[in-house]
Amino acid sequence: MAPEAILLVGGKGTRLRPLTVHTPKPMVPAAGVPFLTHQLARARAAGVERVVLATSYLAEVFEPYFGDGSSMGLRLEYVTEREPLGTGGAIRNAASHLSSGPDAPVLIFNGDILTGLDIPALISTHETSGADVSLHLTRVDDPRAYGLVPTDPSGRVTAFLEKPQTPAEIVTDQINAGAYVFRRSVIDTIPVGRPVSVERETFPELLSSGVHLQGMVDSTYWLDLGTPQAFVRGSADLVLGRAPSPAVPGRRGDRLILPSASVAADAKLTGGTVVGAGAVIGAGARVVGSTVLDGAVVEEGAVVTDSLVGAGARVGARTVLSGAVIGDGAAVGPDNELRAGARIWCDAVLPAGCVRFSSDQ
Ligand code: GDD
Ligand code: MG
């Protein structure tokens, strides 16, 4: 039987604000389609036929778009938590909708990860090692925002340290990459009816009771899209073909321009830039490695680099954006300069020439 999967797309969902004021992050388009589409398409390509979406907020936005999944060759089910149950609670709750037997491998994915993970390889690692749970691990320079997962020479997990607080806790650069294979019967040991963190509670408890957790480390493409900057990077990498996904519309290359967008003949779009449906790019504008969502306008001579321009937002003439996030419906007037980390809230209005980082000419 094809393995079943659970996709975690709930929680507080606050980290992409302001862009999630109108849209929960799994539905924000990355390379032209809701981000979740890439994960679903990759799971399908790996032989998964049935996916349970475990959600806790605005669940009603998923179903009208993905329906029963049949357009992607999947059978999709939606399970909504009344209150967020945490990662472990969500897995347990969603598992009641699985039909797998007690020894079957069940795939679990964090819903905010863009990765080239070889899913069949993770399943076969699980099967050959005889583990109860197998985890995809990746290496990062700064592991503090993640779950640290040291392993012994055979790959067996020796500890799980979520978001280490002190330098002494940073014992490895291997982190939990947010994709697991669980033996079905192990999911059934997670407590029901209360929030449970799989990272802070389930994994440490399983380890202390001697359960076999196996790590599979690899160096494939991997990115947590939990911040707008990461989201822009991921979208550009999908367009450029660095991040593999069968769901990117059109050919890989320097840019993706959705039908009905309008781009001036002398505008330059590079670095995996995406221009959404109905968006307008004015004369002489340069847009590099950025995402311009549906209906947004980038006026003439603007220079937009590594930035996210929300749906229906406007970037004024000659304005320079670098590493900035412009919320849905916001308007940045002409001749502004916004640099790394700047976030303009949804629907906010910034008058002409009022923010600069450089001195007056
Ligand atoms: N249904 C549901 N209910 N889903 C949830 C809940 C919940 O209560 N809480 C979180 N999730 C989902 C999120 O939507 C996300 O897809 C995933 O679970 C992980 O939650 P995040 O809030 O994004 O966690 P994180 O990024 O800080 O850390 C996690 O991911 C890291 C890798 O990116 C942990 O799993 C770390 O150990 C890991 O290294
Ligand atoms: Mg995350």
Side-chain angles (χ1 to χ4, degrees):
M1 190 179 130
E4 297 179 301
I6 297 172
L7 199 47
L8 299 172
V9 289
K12 296 191 190 75
T14 54
R15 289 174 66 194
L16 245 184
R17 292 186 80 185
L19 293 154
T20 50
V21 172
H22 302 307
T23 321
K25 62 187 170 181
M27 294 303 283
V28 176
V33 295
F35 172 67
L36 211 54
T37 318
H38 300 292
Q39 288 187 309
L40 291 172
R42 293 198 81 254
R44 181 68 196 91
V48 173
E49 291 170 357
R50 188 146 182 274
V51 179
V52 180
L53 277 189
T55 77
S56 61
Y57 58 87
L58 292 176
E60 64 274 15
V61 304
F62 299 114
E63 200 160 358
Y65 187 88
F66 293 108
D68 64 1
S70 54
S71 64
M72 302 188 73
L74 285 168
R75 279 179 297 140
L76 266 186
E77 271 192 56
Y78 304 85
V79 178
T80 307
E81 300 141 41
R82 228 172 302 144
E83 293 294 327
L85 285 173
T87 45
I91 294 168
R92 175 72 210 250
N93 189 51
S96 59
H97 292 250
L98 300 178
S99 49
S100 306
D103 277 328
V106 176
L107 282 158
I108 320 263
F109 300 107
N110 283 357
D112 58 352
I113 304 294
L114 180 61
T115 174
L117 168 68
D118 182 342
I119 297 169
L122 184 64
I123 296 171
S124 76
T125 296
H126 182 74
E127 279 163 357
T128 54
S129 67
D132 299 295
V133 181
S134 301
L135 299 86
H136 175 213
L137 308 180
T138 189
R139 290 198 167 87
V140 293
D141 292 336
D142 182 358
R144 285 176 296 175
Y146 304 103
L148 266 59
V149 189
T151 48
D152 74 10
S154 71
R156 188 165 175 150
V157 174
T158 54
F160 195 107
L161 306 150
E162 183 68 14
K163 311 228 166 50
Q165 300 295 315
T166 63
E169 285 178 303
I170 302 178
V171 294
T172 176
D173 62 353
Q174 289 177 185
I175 62 142
N176 167 25
Y180 322 117
V181 180
F182 269 71
R183 185 192 300 281
R184 167 65 203 264
S185 56
V186 176
I187 298 177
D188 295 335
T189 67
I190 298 173
V192 198
R194 67 165 171 90
V196 178
S197 161
V198 79
E199 298 89 350
R200 296 181 191 277
E201 187 174 336
T202 310
F203 290 143
E205 280 178 9
L206 290 172
L207 285 168
S208 64
S209 56
V211 169
H212 181 172
L213 272 61
Q214 185 72 17
M216 184 184 91
V217 190
D218 71 18
S219 55
T220 185
Y221 183 93
W222 187 87
L223 195 62
D224 177 325
L225 302 188
T227 65
Q229 276 72 22
F231 200 89
V232 170
R233 182 73 257 147
S235 181
D237 287 340
L238 283 161
V239 172
L240 291 166
R242 289 182 191 151
S245 163
V248 178
R251 274 188 297 132
R252 307 300 181 277
D254 246 353
R255 67 195 68 87
L256 172 66
I257 302 170
L258 294 191
S260 84
S262 151
V263 177
D266 65 347
K268 274 212 177 74
L269 309 178
T270 55
T273 285
V274 185
V275 183
V280 177
I281 309 291
R286 275 187 288 143
V287 189
V288 185
S290 296
T291 295
V292 178
L293 293 178
D294 292 1
V297 177
V298 175
E299 294 179 350
E300 65 274 9
V303 181
V304 177
T305 309
D306 300 336
S307 296
L308 198 124
V309 181
R314 179 171 284 268
V315 177
R318 297 168 304 281
T319 280
V320 175
L321 303 182
S322 174
V325 177
I326 312 301
D328 294 346
V332 179
D335 301 305
N336 280 294
E337 189 181 356
L338 300 177
R339 298 217 171 260
R343 293 185 180 205
I344 303 300
W345 216 250
C346 291
D347 302 317
V349 177
L350 202 64
C354 67
V355 185
R356 315 238 12 161
F357 281 70
S358 41
S359 56
D360 286 346
Q361 300 296 308

